[in-house]
């Protein structure tokens, strides 16, 4: 990583408010997807709905066409079923009872990105898989509690890793959370494993996406020939939850929201 890429862009209060507005559209787009998740739905239809909702609300899907010149992500959502860890392509695949599906989405609104992910059970899932979802989500909230002025990035990483490993799941090493703002991926990297006291110190204006990617089995991953899809090497399920958070007025604030998703899930 060269020096330029490692510079952290701390945000003003006004910029953080713009990211929050982007996060509201994102949270509602997730809820539109949540309404459709059930056995029989094609994952491409989740993608279509998310893109339509985001554009209808003045946003731009952050992921669509993201990447290098000859390697651009072609969809609005990453839809990652079962052993797919992240970056799965929406497709004609129909969700079925017992699957889990991670939906990762980003929205650019007023020049600023927000990024969040949620993993859903489809119908009735195995008990250990249910626990994987629960622990992964809890690890995200434990991490958010650790985002405090004076702590470091890897204090946050350490909390995720120790909590997950205590529960006998494993942390993917190759993929990490990130700073976010005018670019979808900015410095600093936010790993889901690490050592207390290491990494950048957390201060006012920091905006990061925290995103534990947690495997039921072993931590190793493999990449599909499409150059995007990441799977667990042992073929066991993987879960992913993500929020975009900021330090604003000395406190952590969650700028994305699961509130709309969870309202749908309650019904
Ligand atoms: Mg994401
Ligand atoms: Mg992210």
């Amino acid at each position: 990583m060269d020096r330029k890429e490692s510079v952290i862009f701390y945000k003003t209060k006004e910029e953080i408010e713009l990211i929050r507005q982007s996060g509201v559209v994102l949270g509602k787009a997730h809820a539109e997807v949540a309404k459709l998740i059930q056995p029989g739905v094609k994952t491409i239809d989740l993608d279509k709905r998310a893109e339509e909702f985001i554009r209808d609300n003045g946003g731009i899907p952050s992921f669509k066409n993201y990447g290098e010149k000859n390697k651009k992500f072609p969809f609005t959502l990453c839809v990652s079923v079962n052993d797919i860890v992240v970056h799965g392509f929406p497709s004609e695949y129909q969700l079925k009872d017992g699957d889990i599906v991670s939906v990762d989405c980003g929205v650019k609104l007023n020049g600023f990105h927000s990024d969040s992910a949620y993993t859903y059970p489809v119908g009735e899932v195995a008990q250990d898989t249910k626990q994987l979802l629960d622990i992964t989500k809890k690890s995200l909230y434990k991490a958010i509690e650790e985002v405090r002025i004076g702590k470091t990035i890897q204090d946050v990483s350490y909390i995720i890793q120790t909590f997950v490993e205590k529960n006998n799941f494993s942390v993917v090493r190759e993929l990490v959370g990130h700073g976010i703002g005018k670019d979808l991926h900015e410095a600093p990297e936010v790993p889901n494993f690490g050592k207390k006291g290491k990494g950048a110190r957390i201060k006012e204006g920091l905006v990061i996406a925290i995103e534990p990617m947690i495997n039921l089995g072993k931590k190793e991953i493999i990449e599909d020939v499409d150059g995007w899809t990441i799977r667990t090497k042992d073929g066991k399920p993987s879960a992913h939850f993500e929020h975009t958070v900021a330090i604003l007025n000395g406190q952590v604030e969650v700028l994305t929201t699961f509130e709309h998703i969870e309202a749908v899930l309650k019904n």
Side-chain angles (χ1 to χ4, degrees), residues 26 30 63 78 86-87 103-106 114-117 178 180 184-185 209-211 240-244:
L26 174 56
H30 268 293
F63 299 173
C78 297
V86 286
H87 305 165
V103 176
D104 190 358
C105 189
S114 57
D115 187 3
S116 74
H178 49 91
I180 179 167
L184 178 61
H185 294 123
I210 304 176
E211 48 180 316
H240 181 207
F241 287 83
E242 176 180 26
H243 269 314
T244 298

Side-chain angles (χ1 to χ4, degrees), residues 76-177:
T76 292
L77 300 180
C78 297
V79 180
S80 304
V81 179
N82 297 335
D83 64 320
I84 302 180
V85 179
V86 286
H87 305 165
F89 283 5
S91 72
E92 295 295 315
Y93 177 80
Q94 294 181 321
L95 294 176
K96 60 181 199 309
D97 192 46
D99 283 346
I100 58 168
V101 57
S102 304
V103 176
D104 190 358
C105 189
V107 167
K108 188 181 191 188
L109 185 74
N110 299 319
F112 285 88
H113 295 273
S114 57
D115 187 3
S116 74
Y118 199 95
T119 304
Y120 302 85
V122 182
E124 207 44 50
V125 305
Q127 191 55 40
D128 56 355
T129 306
K130 222 180 262 180
Q131 208 207 344
L132 172 71
L133 301 187
D134 181 52
I135 293 299
T136 305
K137 191 176 175 195
K138 280 186 178 149
S139 76
L140 171 59
Y141 284 100
K142 285 187 177 287
I144 292 169
E145 274 176 41
E146 194 70 5
V147 178
R148 292 199 293 268
I149 288 179
K151 294 272 184 181
T152 68
I153 293 293
Q154 286 198 36
D155 287 339
V156 177
S157 311
Y158 174 84
I159 288 287
I160 296 171
Q161 182 183 12
T162 49
F163 178 70
V164 164
E165 291 179 351
K166 194 178 74 189
N167 284 281
N168 299 312
F169 297 123
S170 59
V171 172
V172 172
R173 301 297 202 267
E174 293 85 347
L175 299 143
V176 296

